[in-house]
Amino acid sequence: ILNVEQSPQSLHVQEGDSTNFTCSFPSSNFYALHWYRWETAKSPEALFVMTLNGDEKKKGRISATLNTKEGYSYLYIKGSQPEDSATYLCAFFRGTGNQFYFGTGTSLTVIP
Amino acid sequence: EAGVAQSPRYKIIEKRQSVAFWCNPISGHATLYWYQQILGQGPKLLIQFQNNGVVDDSQLPKDRFSAERLKGVDSTLKIQPAKLEDSAVYLCASSFTGNSYEQYFGPGTRLTVT
């Protein structure tokens, strides 16, 4: 079993605050790292697919970086809004085998 | 574009009963995944199909779980007989092909075994 860790487990921030989360994964046999947002009672939604060391991706107020050599990815949210409240999942895919390994997620609550 | 459809959305059964979940992936998506997400844990892959063939089912408890994807489109996941520890959300996802492509998830089926 491969370990993908996310921190923090949960986070409460005020509206307008910026925040970031971490996803840690094994640095060997890296192939891809995915970020998903999962709002309550909805389907998980893909945010980013990252494949190259040093990748930086952005979608609106959300951005992500990738360091495959040290095995981590950061997700940043600038100026958090209540609609950003969700669980953010990362999923690691390694070059050997055919499985995605999900972290346990970071639960974000943005307080108006 | 229609999303991934799953049914039912909720199911409550007693232990030792049987249950089946259905998934219809996005049209044209060759790869289909079934995940089990137990409260407090990340989704765990149960089985992955490429068209109608199984790519990986190493974490599928085959003594009680079975899955099929006839004709490479719809898929069903069955649990027979259910145990209390099977209570979870069962997510179906599909992707165009390969594993560097993002996955599109259905809304999930929340199973409660009493």
Side-chain angles (χ1 to χ4, degrees):
Chain A
I1 299 293
L2 188 147
N3 221 20
V4 178
E5 296 182 354
Q6 290 189 247
S7 62
Q9 190 172 10
S10 66
L11 197 53
H12 290 72
V13 301
Q14 292 291 136
E15 181 175 354
D17 286 352
S18 294
T19 186
N20 65 84
F21 331 128
T22 305
C23 173
S24 301
F25 50 85
S27 55
S28 60
N29 291 317
F30 177 87
Y31 191 88
L33 192 285
H34 293 204
W35 280 101
Y36 293 87
R37 174 171 61 199
W38 193 358
E39 294 179 65
T40 302
K42 293 187 178 179
S43 309
E45 171 199 357
L47 290 173
F48 304 113
V49 175
M50 310 181 81
T51 56
L52 297 176
N53 184 43
D55 252 356
E56 290 189 28
K57 298 214 171 179
K58 188 175 181 182
K59 185 183 288 189
R61 294 179 291 99
I62 304 177
S63 60
T65 60
L66 179 68
N67 184 323
T68 60
K69 294 186 188 307
E70 296 182 40
Y72 65 84
S73 175
Y74 293 141
L75 188 79
Y76 301 92
I77 303 179
K78 184 178 178 182
S80 302
Q81 299 297 307
E83 58 264 31
D84 296 328
S85 296
T87 295
Y88 291 81
L89 291 165
C90 68
F92 166 74
F93 184 76
R94 65 180 179 183
T96 55
N98 288 297
Q99 277 200 33
F100 278 101
Y101 297 88
F102 277 85
T104 53
T106 292
S107 174
L108 172 68
T109 303
V110 181
I111 303 162
Chain B
E1 177 183 79
V4 176
Q6 285 189 252
S7 67
R9 292 292 308 274
Y10 305 92
K11 190 74 177 178
I12 301 173
I13 61 173
E14 295 182 353
K15 60 184 179 185
R16 291 187 289 275
Q17 286 188 322
S18 301
V19 65
F21 313 130
W22 174 80
C23 173
N24 186 21
I26 291 173
S27 177
H29 280 193
T31 307
L32 186 147
Y33 311 81
W34 281 102
Y35 291 93
Q36 179 193 57
Q37 199 244 346
I38 293 172
L39 190 64
Q41 300 179 18
K44 181 183 84 173
L45 180 71
L46 292 176
I47 190 166
Q48 178 183 342
F49 292 96
Q50 181 78 13
N51 297 308
N52 61 351
V54 175
V55 173
D56 190 312
D57 63 356
S58 57
Q59 296 195 90
L60 186 75
K62 298 181 185 66
D63 57 334
R64 297 183 301 107
F65 285 64
S66 64
E68 59 182 10
R69 190 183 184 196
L70 299 176
K71 302 179 183 177
V73 182
D74 292 10
S75 178
T76 55
L77 176 70
K78 296 179 182 177
I79 307 175
Q80 180 179 12
K83 293 185 175 181
L84 295 176
E85 58 261 36
D86 298 332
S87 294
V89 175
Y90 290 85
L91 290 164
C92 178
S94 69
S95 67
F96 179 64
T97 189
N99 291 298
S100 61
Y101 287 88
E102 62 192 69
Q103 297 180 42
Y104 293 81
F105 284 86
T109 296
R110 183 175 295 279
L111 174 68
T112 302
V113 182
T114 62

